[in-house]
Amino acid sequence: MAGYGDLLRTRGVARIMAAQLTARFPNGMTSLAVLLHIEHVTGSYGAAGLVLAATSIGQAVAGPVTSRWMGRWGMRRVLTLTLIVCAAAIAALALLDLPVPGYMALGLLAGLATPPVQSAVRTIYPKMVTSKQLTPLFSLDASLQEIIWIVAPVVITFVATQVGTVQALLLIIVILIGGGAWFILSPEVGRVRIPRSRRGFGRVLAKPPVILATVSGFLLIGACSAVEAGVVATFGHGGAEAGIVLAVFAIGSLTGGLSFGHIPMGPWAMARRLGIVAGGLALTMISLDMWWLSGTLFLAGIGIAPALAVIFAITSASVRFSETAEAYGWVGTGQLIGAAAGSAVAGLLIDAGGPSGAYVAATAFAVAGVAVAAAFVRGFPDLRGRDASPAPDTEPVRTIT
């Protein structure tokens, strides 16, 4: 923890991390708020699911595209444009009375315009710290983002159920604009310029570490989404048990990231860390008791943030600086697709055999992640004692001084 304290005292790190977490806070609120609002105005969870699916598709498609745009038009321009369009689309969702296809179109637009804050900040990080600090910074970032998934759903559910779904969506807009403006106006966003990539769109996926990071993220987040579906199916929406168990799951991830973020990352790091996730999830199938699930999911959670840190670090270390934003965009798209796949598979198994099917699905996703990491271990770079910063481009790049 002392090492993280030194890291946060590095010039600008605490500020940019707080700004990006605030800007990304709506990511933990929007899906749930849209689901609750559309169900409220249409009376149909099916319609709400269609609108939510359109939003997720928009986010998945936009990730690598808007991230790449930042190298062409600059981070501030792209972030500002997407922020304005996204806020307008969510406002229209909240205030307009439309048929379901109209809501789907607005959901798709909101997803397409989701500001690429995550890609931007992880492109900035290597320009802010020394090579020795970069891997711990990725670990700290992966750990602290769990705050979003612990706090945001609780806040938005309370507002939507106790005040109103329209007000919940308007609250998202306020946080989106406030956090987004804070991040966009941060000095680091203006000082770091991403060179225009000279390679064709999607060519970054030809690099083995990038495709492995994308596939690993798909499987890891697929497992997490299956767990979420399983916990809700186990305890229902009426009580506090589901929220408590999922909070313990996230706290396990936060604990793992803060405890093990300093460990050097060798080629087997991903397999070992996903192995912790798979082991904890396998134990969930023994019992659906609340205390048992809390303990096993806490264990599984210990591997999540460290595994995400490996994903971020190997992506950074394997590309040129001009390619980092697009690479992180593809990684984010893989995670979004994983979330949808995990929820879908878990839902089918829950319908077929009850809540235990979701934990089987979650374990299968995690075990597949371990198998991929072990089978393609030679594709993971050895970052022990190595700088995880992206390779420089040949053209001059302005950096923070």
Side-chain angles (χ1 to χ4, degrees), residues 69 75 83 93 237-238 241 263 270 315 361:
W69 284 353
M75 280 190 281
L83 175 64
L93 267 174
H237 297 275
E241 293 91 344
I263 297 177
M270 180 65 78
T315 301

Side-chain angles (χ1 to χ4, degrees), residues 181-256:
W182 184 14
F183 180 74
I184 291 168
L185 295 174
S186 297
E188 294 78 12
V189 176
R191 291 174 185 166
V192 176
R193 182 179 63 85
I194 306 173
R196 179 180 297 192
S197 177
R198 298 179 180 180
R199 306 183 71 194
F201 178 71
R203 292 287 299 279
V204 71
L205 288 173
K207 295 181 179 292
V210 176
I211 193 67
L212 284 171
T214 303
V215 172
S216 297
F218 165 83
L219 294 169
L220 175 60
I221 302 304
C224 294
S225 294
V227 167
E228 291 171 1
V231 170
V232 171
T234 301
F235 300 106
H237 297 275
E241 293 91 344
I244 292 171
V245 173
L246 289 175
V248 170
F249 189 36
I251 291 169
S253 177
L254 178 62
T255 302

